[in-house]
């Protein structure tokens, strides 16, 4: 059983879960979309669809976290980085006709009723993103408690705005958060 089959399963699952959610994605659809067979699925993911979903959340979460960290590292402060991040989110949402939002959120929203392992994986990724923001804020001189609280608020605002913008098909929520973050961080 090849690594390519595993990669195709994860790639297909990521796209399908992101666009239609966990419950709406069936194993047959995942196999058809990835061009793999049942044996490949259960060889690489003995836990089935749930284990694939955890792999998707962990992989996508780590990719987003690395991109966020890289953006923070090469930007002139948290404000500039988040302004660029939100601009990118708006463009990505528009380019996908509103189909692609956060790669973790669709699974995270269903996780509390669908799967404990999936819920824990999503929570861990969101916590890692928040920690990345908090660390950058501490580097800018915010006290640790304030940085942690503000990092959580920033992440919550962006994720919430992305959800609202995806749902409405209008980037207004993301644009409003960008303006509010500017006011919040530039005082």
């Amino acid at each position: 059983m090849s690594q390519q089959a595993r990669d195709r399963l994860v790639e297909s699952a990521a796209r399908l879960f992101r666009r239609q959610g966990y419950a709406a994605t069936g194993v047959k659809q995942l196999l058809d979309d990835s061009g793999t067979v049942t044996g490949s699925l259960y060889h690489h993911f003995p836990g089935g669809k749930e284990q694939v979903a955890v792999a998707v959340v962990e992989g996508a979460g780590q990719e987003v976290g690395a991109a966020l960290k890289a953006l923070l590292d090469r930007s002139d402060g948290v404000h500039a980085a988040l302004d660029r991040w939100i601009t990118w989110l708006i463009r990505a949402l528009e380019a996908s006709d509103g189909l692609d939002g956060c790669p973790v959120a669709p699974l995270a929203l269903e996780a509390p009723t669908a799967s404990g392992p999936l819920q824990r994986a999503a929570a861990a990724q969101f916590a890692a993103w928040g920690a990345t923001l908090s660390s950058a804020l501490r580097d800018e001189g915010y006290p640790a408690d304030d940085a942690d609280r503000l990092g959580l608020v920033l992440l919550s605002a962006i994720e919430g705005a992305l959800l609202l913008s995806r749902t409405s098909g209008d980037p207004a929520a993301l644009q409003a958060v960008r303006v509010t973050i500017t006011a919040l961080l530039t005082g």
Side-chain angles (χ1 to χ4, degrees):
M1 303 286 167
S2 74
Q3 180 66 31
Q4 289 177 337
R6 183 191 188 285
D7 293 346
R8 284 195 318 268
L9 281 164
V10 172
E11 182 181 310
S12 288
R15 184 179 55 263
L16 292 169
F17 292 150
R18 186 176 191 169
R19 291 190 171 186
Q20 63 191 37
Y22 181 78
T25 301
V27 171
K28 182 177 179 345
Q29 182 186 22
L30 176 57
L31 293 172
D32 290 347
D33 189 79
S34 66
T36 57
V37 295
T38 305
S40 290
L41 171 68
Y42 292 104
H43 171 76
H44 293 292
F45 300 100
K49 183 173 113 171
E50 178 183 55
Q51 191 176 4
V52 174
V54 169
V56 165
V57 165
E58 290 173 347
Q62 290 167 5
E63 285 179 21
V64 169
L68 179 59
K69 173 102 172 70
L71 185 59
L72 287 161
D73 288 346
R74 70 174 186 264
S75 294
D76 187 25
V78 174
H79 170 255
L82 292 181
D83 187 68
R84 287 188 192 111
W85 187 262
I86 293 169
T87 297
W88 180 85
L89 290 172
I90 291 169
R91 288 183 184 146
L93 195 61
E94 290 172 343
S96 71
D97 292 325
L99 294 175
D100 292 334
C102 173
V104 174
L107 291 165
L109 291 170
E110 292 183 68
T113 58
S115 163
L118 184 54
Q119 182 179 18
R120 288 186 292 279
Q125 294 309 311
F126 287 137
W129 300 349
T132 297
L133 288 170
S134 296
S135 176
L137 290 164
R138 280 192 296 280
D139 290 347
E140 286 189 5
Y142 285 85
D145 287 346
D146 292 345
D148 291 345
R149 192 170 25 260
L150 185 53
L152 182 59
V153 166
L154 293 170
L155 177 61
S156 299
I158 293 168
E159 281 294 315
L162 183 54
L163 176 64
L164 293 174
S165 289
R166 183 175 181 225
T167 302
S168 70
D170 183 346
L174 281 165
Q175 292 164 341
V177 164
R178 181 174 34 207
V179 170
T180 302
I181 286 173
T182 297
L184 185 64
L185 292 176
T186 60

